[in-house]
């Protein structure tokens, strides 16, 4: 069965510092990987996706993610964090057979001024 | 302005009552989904529909029902059989069933039990 894991419930980082939110996956074949962000009492918003090609994917709001096949990881990164980046971040994989999305449990990012 | 509209924003259910959550999209998307969000558990799939008049159970379908009579609409009914309905419910859609496609989400409905 396909799955994703987000090992950290919360990540704290100082404003201006680089941030990393971790995600590992378990899929058969080549994965379709996504990152979404959720602000309080709102739906999720798409940030970026990896389908194929370049291992470094650039997305919205200055975020990027690095696909690492050998480590089965898809970590979300940003060179310089903003207070406004504070939110709940979800990693997801899409099942190519059923087209269902499988989400991780989410990581709360707190950027401290 | 295109998007997904969920209503109501807040909903309260009495014991033994069925309640229906509305989800409408004007994005002309084929596929629609319902997720339940509980703290610390991420998003769990309740039902999804890839085409009008067809839908499939997700991972936690028990106690829920859906219909897809129109492309734009995918209402979710939380029945009295769902013993723990308190959660944040999210509706989503995608252009089609291509796994390359991203999901678009509504703003959610918070359901609570009185």
């Amino acid at each position: 069965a396909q799955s994703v894991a987000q090992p950290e419930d919360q990540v704290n980082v100082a404003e201006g510092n680089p941030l990393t939110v971790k995600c590992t996956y378990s899929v058969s074949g080549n994965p379709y990987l996504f990152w979404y962000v959720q602000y309080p009492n709102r739906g999720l918003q798409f940030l970026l996706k990896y389908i194929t090609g370049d291992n470094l994917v650039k997305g919205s709001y200055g975020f990027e993610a690095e696909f690492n096949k050998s480590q089965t990881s898809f970590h979300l990164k940003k060179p310089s964090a903003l207070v406004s980046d504070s939110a709940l971040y979800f990693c997801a994989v899409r099942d190519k057979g059923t087209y269902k999305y499988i989400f991780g449990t989410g990581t709360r990012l707190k950027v401290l001024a | 302005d295109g998007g997904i509209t969920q209503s109501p924003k807040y909903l309260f259910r009495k014991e033994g009552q069925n309640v229906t959550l509305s989800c409408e999209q004007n994005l002309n998307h084929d596929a629609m989904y319902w997720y339940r969000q509980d703290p610390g558990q991420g998003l769990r799939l309740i039902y999804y529909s890839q085409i009008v008049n067809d839908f499939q159970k997700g991972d936690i379908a028990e106690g829920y029902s859906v219909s897809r009579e129109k492309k734009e609409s995918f209402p979710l009914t939380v029945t009295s059989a769902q013993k723990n309905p308190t959660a944040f419910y999210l509706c989503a859609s995608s252009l089609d069933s291509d796994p390359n496609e991203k999901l678009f989400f509504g703003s959610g409905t918070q359901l609570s039990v009185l």
Side-chain angles (χ1 to χ4, degrees):
Chain A
Q2 305 199 67
S3 65
V4 291
Q6 293 181 246
E8 302 154 317
D9 290 336
Q10 180 158 322
V11 170
N12 295 330
V13 63
E15 187 175 31
N17 282 4
L19 69 87
T20 299
V21 182
K22 295 180 181 176
C23 172
T24 58
Y25 65 89
S26 174
V27 302
S28 54
N30 293 322
Y32 292 154
L33 295 161
F34 299 78
W35 274 102
Y36 289 83
V37 59
Q38 184 181 33
Y39 297 100
N41 299 316
R42 303 290 295 175
L44 279 67
Q45 295 175 34
F46 169 78
L47 276 179
L48 50 81
K49 64 182 178 183
Y50 173 83
I51 304 300
T52 187
D54 200 351
N55 289 344
L56 187 63
V57 180
K58 294 192 183 295
S60 306
Y61 313 121
F63 283 93
E64 56 191 28
E66 187 170 10
F67 172 69
N68 188 317
K69 190 170 184 177
S70 62
Q71 296 185 6
T72 62
S73 66
F74 189 55
H75 300 333
L76 181 70
K77 301 184 180 191
K78 189 173 182 181
S80 179
L82 300 172
V83 172
S84 57
D85 292 330
S86 299
L88 188 57
Y89 290 82
F90 289 96
C91 182
V93 62
R94 193 144 194 214
D95 186 310
K96 283 174 278 184
T98 65
Y99 303 115
K100 288 166 33 176
Y101 277 83
I102 299 149
F103 285 85
T105 51
T107 298
R108 188 165 300 281
L109 174 67
K110 206 169 196 179
V111 181
L112 307 166
Chain B
D1 198 15
I4 301 179
T5 302
Q6 289 187 241
S7 63
K9 193 170 176 68
Y10 300 96
L11 186 58
F12 297 91
R13 193 191 89 166
K14 294 180 183 177
E15 197 169 333
Q17 187 182 39
N18 293 353
V19 293
T20 297
L21 284 61
S22 170
C23 178
E24 303 277 332
Q25 54 98 359
N26 61 5
L27 299 167
N28 201 32
H29 284 175
D30 300 301
M32 297 187 75
Y33 307 78
W34 274 106
Y35 288 90
R36 171 178 170 143
Q37 184 176 16
D38 296 278
Q41 294 196 46
L43 275 67
R44 292 183 290 168
L45 182 64
I46 305 173
Y47 270 98
Y48 65 107
S49 168
Q50 294 172 280
I51 196 169
V52 174
N53 292 323
D54 187 43
F55 48 83
Q56 285 79 41
K57 292 182 179 180
D59 301 314
I60 55 164
E62 187 174 347
Y64 300 96
S65 65
V66 293
S67 63
R68 186 87 187 274
E69 296 175 4
K70 298 187 298 182
K71 189 176 186 178
E72 306 80 35
S73 180
F74 192 42
L76 173 74
T77 296
V78 184
T79 75
S80 57
Q82 173 49 246
K83 297 306 179 189
N84 184 23
T86 297
F88 191 54
Y89 291 85
L90 286 163
C91 179
S93 70
S94 63
L95 184 59
D96 54 28
S97 297
D98 185 340
N100 191 27
E101 288 297 327
K102 64 187 181 188
L103 285 172
F104 290 77
F105 282 84
S107 294
T109 294
Q110 176 64 51
L111 176 61
S112 302
V113 176
L114 286 175

